[in-house]
Amino acid sequence: MDGFESAEDALAGSGPSVTVTVCDSHRGAAEAWLEDFHRLLRAYENVGQRCGWVHDFREPEVVLRAHVDAWLGRLGGLDLADHDGWAAYLSAAHERLCTLHGLEPGHLKDDGAVAWVGMAALEAARGRLRAALYYLGHAEALAGMGLMVGSPSACC
């Protein structure tokens, strides 16, 4: 699956601003999730990445806002305006998701979406927004496949 919208790149030209890779067994769940939030362009060829791989080419602030608006805000029920910056928001979202899924606070022990949001929060607290986005992109893909907690490290 490719793209949410096209983006211009000075070197590469027009192309997808986001790529998401899912296996055939998770394609239906991921498409339903992503279609609800993003405009998609689909490409069905194998790109050699594991299921749940996400690469976002947009600027960090744009991507973070897109995650909050599209899915993380809905799942956690939190408003970005109530928090002092990205690190505080992501930490609060992680704690809320832990509570909603019956996990201990600070849960990072599996490969489910909740743990990946926690890892994104840790990176944001270190001032590493691009690293936080790596984890947040995967968290969205896992959430879209219904793998909030207890996901295997390689689903397929």
Side-chain angles (χ1 to χ4, degrees), residues 2 12 16 23 26 29-30 34 36 42 45 53 55 60-61 63 65 70-72 89 91-92 107 112-113 122 136-137:
D2 280 331
C23 68
H26 288 114
L34 293 169
D36 203 25
R42 289 178 185 77
E45 67 272 5
W53 175 259
H55 192 104
E61 293 284 330
V63 179
R65 171 56 72 181
W71 69 279
L72 190 55
Y89 178 82
S91 292
H107 175 82
L122 290 174
L136 207 53

Side-chain angles (χ1 to χ4, degrees), residues 6 9 22 38 41 43 65 74 83 97-98 119 130 132 147 150:
S6 286
D9 181 287
V22 294
H38 307 287
L41 303 169
R65 171 56 72 181
R74 293 181 194 187
H83 301 278
L97 291 172
C98 285
M119 291 182 277
R130 287 210 184 269
L147 302 172

Side-chain angles (χ1 to χ4, degrees), residues 98-123:
C98 285
T99 300
L100 291 173
H101 291 279
L103 303 169
E104 293 293 320
H107 175 82
L108 298 172
K109 296 179 183 165
D110 65 34
D111 202 24
V114 174
W116 283 72
V117 171
M119 291 182 277
L122 290 174
E123 291 298 333

